[in-house]
Amino acid sequence: MSWGAYITNSLVNKQDAAGHVYNNVLVEAALMGFNGAEWAKTAGLAVSKAEVDKLNELFKQSGANAIPSVNLAGKKYQVTHYDGNSAYLKIKDGGATVAKTTQAYVIGVYNTTKKYKQDGKEMPQCVGMCNMVVEELANQLKGMNY
């Protein structure tokens, strides 16, 4: 599968093991190498090398000394929680989850004013779905040494 297909089929849209179909779970998503290289992204999420460098700093910190905020695509996000594997970020009307794999970051952005569909039923995009799809893909990639 291409890196772009992971964005489309595992982050923005998804089908779970029970056959439930989720569409437009995230407004934006990206796979970024630790060196700032873009593996794949949605059209609206241009994460810069400097922003990836800041993520590198965050993921090197201990929980008590974590960086309070990071930028993604020029927008400032408050770090609400960080556990060494994932960072949970908040911004007005939404937020993001960044999960670390062996070689890259899986980044997902949600907006609570936007809707996603689960089996055709519309619901507001939310932190829980963002966390779930980002962390599932990160774990899958870790299992393949990416």
Side-chain angles (χ1 to χ4, degrees):
M1 186 172 358
S2 72
W3 292 121
Y6 281 103
I7 296 288
T8 303
N9 300 322
S10 297
L11 294 174
V12 175
N13 304 300
K14 176 177 180 49
Q15 183 169 352
D16 67 17
H20 298 288
V21 176
Y22 304 88
N23 297 105
N24 300 314
V25 173
L26 304 173
V27 288
E28 304 292 346
L31 295 171
M32 301 292 298
F34 297 151
N35 63 357
E38 178 186 294
W39 292 11
K41 69 175 184 70
T42 54
L45 190 63
V47 179
S48 71
K49 179 168 180 349
E51 292 170 337
V52 172
D53 289 344
K54 191 72 165 188
L55 289 174
N56 290 334
E57 285 180 46
L58 172 66
F59 278 87
K60 288 178 185 172
Q61 300 294 313
S62 67
N65 299 320
I67 295 169
S69 65
V70 295
N71 287 358
L72 296 176
K75 294 180 183 176
K76 185 176 182 178
Y77 289 79
Q78 181 72 33
V79 178
T80 60
H81 183 72
Y82 163 76
D83 67 10
N85 294 308
S86 296
Y88 307 96
L89 313 175
K90 182 74 177 130
I91 196 169
K92 184 180 187 292
D93 295 329
T97 304
V98 180
K100 183 179 178 182
T101 72
T102 307
Q103 300 179 33
Y105 296 111
V106 179
I107 302 169
V109 178
Y110 69 96
N111 183 322
T112 57
T113 67
K114 305 289 183 185
K115 304 278 187 195
Y116 79 94
K117 288 185 179 181
Q118 178 181 347
D119 297 329
K121 180 182 174 189
E122 284 193 346
M123 293 175 267
Q125 289 185 352
C126 63
V127 64
M129 287 298 295
C130 182
N131 293 349
M132 182 184 77
V133 297
V134 168
E135 290 173 346
E136 281 181 1
L137 180 57
N139 287 334
Q140 180 183 355
L141 294 175
K142 284 181 199 175
M144 299 184 297
N145 292 318
Y146 284 107

